[in-house]
Amino acid sequence: MMNVSASTAPGDFVHPALFYQGRAEYLAGVGGFVREAVAADEPVLVAVPGAHLDALRESLDVSGAEVTWTDMTQLGRNPGRILSALQDFADRHAGGRPPRIVGEPIWPGRSRAEVLEATRHEALINSAFAGRHATVLCPYDVLGLPAAVVSDARRTHPTVIAEGKDLLSPEYSDASAVCADCDEPLPEPDGGVRRFAYASGELGEVRAYTETWARRADLSTARRGDLILAVSEAAANSLAHGGGSGSLRLWSAAGGGVVAEVRDGGHLADPLQGRRRPSLTSTRGGRGLWMIHQLCDLVEIRACESGLTLRMHIACS
């Protein structure tokens, strides 16, 4: 069995990557982690893809224990939503028994764009949880995932667990370096896409333009509403924080769904903005970007000297 060391001292955050090969190693490593939490009467959140969730629930006898089960393919469909969910769980147990979390944000079949944003999440979690008394275990399928993904896991986790050994990762890197490598150029859409420019006082025009375009798109009524609200929030951010103007492009994605892209002269000072739930009393803003992450299935942000590009993906239904 693989032993996973948990946080033992106040303010001690533990974030290991568990490299597993096959179902037996997965159940031994993750299952053992959950059993230890239950034995210690510690709250545990298990957020893993559905098939793994079912296998763990079948193999573990933890009825009556404080275990929360979550399908990561739903929670983490947009990787930008994961961090706030993990922090919400930890916050509910702040000052009490140290929480344990299993988070599996990358699984075989994830698109390249999703993997990049999930890798960014894994890097930023070290900053977001710094000083917290908690443990977050992240399983990685070394047989099913590309070698580059496993290599990046060594950069985003201070320790790695493989073949029964829990070792420091010599490749562990600063979050800013990892995030910079995740900023791959965004691919251009096929064919010409109109750019709709807007300025101060024209938020209503942006919304009307989006509503007209969305009625022709292959979207459910609910998803059209999500698109319109996400674009409205992004445009409002442009007017308030992005230099007072911006531009919008909308197009249908090749694999289904739609993409909305907003560009403006803004900057993202805090890489965690939008990924953690903003306080109701916060004066730093961030509510709009957090809402965009909740509405969209994938959010990509690219910053350069000339400004900010925010690309929002929404599935058909």
Side-chain angles (χ1 to χ4, degrees):
M1 174 184 288
M2 300 181 187
N3 294 317
V4 182
S5 298
S7 175
T8 56
D12 182 19
F13 175 56
V14 179
H15 183 211
L18 170 64
F19 294 155
Y20 69 91
Q21 299 184 39
R23 178 188 175 100
E25 285 192 4
Y26 185 89
L27 294 178
V30 179
F33 179 78
V34 175
R35 288 190 188 94
E36 288 180 6
V38 171
D41 195 28
E42 295 171 346
V44 58
L45 168 65
V46 182
V48 300
H52 288 166
L53 198 70
D54 293 340
L56 285 167
R57 297 183 77 163
E58 291 173 2
S59 66
L60 295 171
D61 182 14
V62 293
S63 56
E66 197 171 350
V67 180
T68 301
W69 305 94
T70 301
D71 188 345
M72 184 61 93
T73 63
Q74 298 177 18
L75 167 66
R77 186 173 184 175
N78 171 13
R81 287 199 295 253
I82 301 172
L83 182 56
S84 64
L86 304 192
Q87 287 192 308
D88 285 348
F89 180 82
D91 288 344
R92 290 197 295 272
H93 302 282
R97 295 159 294 156
R100 297 202 203 191
I101 297 171
V102 182
E104 189 172 2
I106 304 178
W107 55 86
R110 278 284 219 185
S111 70
R112 176 61 180 169
E114 291 168 345
V115 167
L116 288 174
E117 294 307 315
T119 300
R120 193 189 307 273
H121 155 78
E122 288 280 56
L124 292 174
I125 197 174
N126 298 298
S127 301
F129 272 80
R132 299 202 66 159
H133 191 20
T135 302
V136 179
L137 174 72
C138 303
Y140 280 80
D141 180 357
V142 298
L143 296 179
L145 293 171
V149 172
V150 178
S151 178
D152 279 338
R154 296 182 181 278
R155 301 179 65 205
T156 56
H157 294 79
T159 61
V160 297
I161 303 166
E163 298 178 352
K165 298 179 181 179
D166 188 350
L167 304 171
L168 293 175
S169 175
E171 293 91 350
Y172 178 60
S173 302
D174 183 79
S176 60
V178 176
C179 290
D181 289 341
C182 291
D183 287 338
E184 294 183 356
L186 297 173
E188 280 296 303
D190 295 333
V193 177
R194 179 190 174 190
R195 189 177 298 278
F196 180 82
Y198 56 90
S200 181
E202 297 178 345
L203 187 57
E205 285 82 346
V206 175
R207 185 179 181 90
Y209 176 77
T210 306
E211 288 177 341
T212 299
W213 187 91
R215 282 197 294 269
R216 301 192 301 267
D218 183 21
L219 292 173
S220 67
T221 301
R223 301 265 58 194
R224 283 201 301 271
D226 290 341
L227 171 66
I228 294 165
L229 184 53
V231 169
S232 296
E233 290 292 336
N237 278 348
S238 293
L239 300 180
H241 310 291
S245 64
S247 66
L248 167 67
R249 293 197 299 172
L250 297 162
W251 67 90
S252 296
V258 302
V259 182
E261 180 187 271
V262 167
R263 292 189 181 186
D264 57 41
H267 299 279
L268 191 65
D270 181 2
L272 286 168
Q273 191 171 8
R275 289 177 176 261
R276 55 185 175 188
R277 186 188 299 273
S279 168
L280 294 176
T281 59
S282 174
T283 59
R284 296 183 178 181
R287 296 182 186 86
L289 189 52
W290 183 82
M291 184 178 293
I292 288 168
H293 272 293
Q294 306 311 303
L295 293 167
C296 299
D297 298 297
L298 177 67
V299 176
E300 300 173 280
I301 301 175
R302 298 292 185 270
C304 62
E305 292 184 2
S306 61
L308 206 65
T309 299
L310 174 63
R311 190 171 283 191
M312 301 164 282
H313 301 248
I314 291 184
C316 296
S317 59

